[in-house]
Amino acid sequence: MSNSNLEGKHMSFSEITANPAPLGLLGFGMTTVLLNIHNAGFFPINPMIIAMGIFYGGFAQIVAGIMEFKKNNTFGTTAFTSYGFFWLSFAALNLLPMLGLGEPTSSEAMGAYLFMWGLFTLVMFIGTLRISRALQVVFGSLALLFFLLAIGNFTGSAMIMTIAGYEGIICGFSAIYAGLAQVINELYKKNLMPLGEVN
């Protein structure tokens, strides 16, 4: 039986459900890469990013968080459900003005929004110090990404936003690696893709 690598606890003897962490990490990682290709300046925000944010970044991570709840994994439940709702809220921030349900979010308000997510992620990063090196990279680079995006919005600096975009692409691919590594390692029953688990 596999265990959820988002906390590293052994499952109870009767636990037979699958490890939800790869689903959550891939939902986060793939959506993050696509959004930050936009932040790096390659294409404008568009329905592809919003759709990924709602369905894979949003709903898939929430499902993963609910599955982590079943596994008694507080860290995984908190992380995946929180970031799932982050993506839904991000999609709403872009969609509501288009639907005439409010004015576009100001740069200052967006900066405050991103800064709060940065604080949350920084504390979650401390939790990863008990889990694995792979997740330390994911959460550490994500905290940096949120703070860079917050500064970019507060200052209006296009250069900082571009730097954040490239850093976010790295962050997203680190999550994709962490998710796929768990799938491959479980299938082959050996550590083919190291995660640097903390003992």
Side-chain angles (χ1 to χ4, degrees):
M1 291 186 294
S2 65
N3 69 324
S4 174
N5 286 310
L6 264 186
E7 189 163 284
K9 289 183 176 179
H10 294 292
M11 293 188 298
S12 65
F13 181 75
S14 61
E15 181 61 76
I16 58 172
T17 56
N19 177 8
L23 172 64
L25 287 165
L26 289 167
F28 167 78
M30 291 175 63
T31 311
T32 297
V33 168
L34 292 171
L35 174 62
N36 283 286
I37 292 173
H38 152 69
N39 286 334
F42 289 95
F43 49 67
I45 196 87
N46 60 61
M48 176 273 290
I49 296 172
I50 300 301
M52 279 289 288
I54 293 171
F55 294 102
Y56 205 32
F59 291 149
Q61 283 199 91
I62 292 168
V63 168
I66 293 169
M67 293 171 69
E68 291 283 11
F69 177 84
K70 169 82 167 91
K71 289 182 174 293
N72 193 31
N73 184 346
T74 302
F75 184 94
T77 299
T78 304
F80 287 139
T81 53
S82 294
Y83 293 121
F85 281 111
F86 161 78
W87 281 111
L88 292 182
S89 69
F90 177 80
L93 285 172
N94 285 273
L95 289 175
L96 290 176
M98 297 178 190
L99 298 173
L101 298 176
E103 296 296 320
T105 305
S106 68
S107 294
E108 293 79 10
M110 184 61 77
Y113 168 81
L114 293 164
F115 179 78
M116 290 305 298
W117 279 105
L119 284 180
F120 168 75
T121 304
L122 184 61
V123 176
M124 295 299 282
F125 167 75
I126 295 171
T128 67
L129 300 177
R130 297 290 304 274
I131 306 173
S132 72
R133 302 287 181 246
L135 288 180
Q136 289 167 27
V137 173
V138 174
F139 280 79
S141 61
L142 179 58
L144 178 59
L145 172 61
F146 277 129
F147 288 133
L148 284 172
L149 290 172
I151 293 169
N153 276 274
F154 281 134
T155 63
S157 171
M159 182 180 71
I160 292 176
M161 293 296 290
T162 300
I163 292 170
Y166 283 103
E167 196 274 344
I169 292 169
I170 294 169
C171 172
F173 275 117
S174 72
I176 291 170
Y177 173 86
L180 291 177
Q182 292 183 48
V183 173
I184 296 302
N185 291 347
E186 180 179 311
L187 283 171
Y188 284 88
K189 295 182 170 43
K190 58 178 66 174
N191 195 29
L192 292 177
M193 300 174 69
L195 291 165
E197 293 182 3
V198 177
N199 296 321

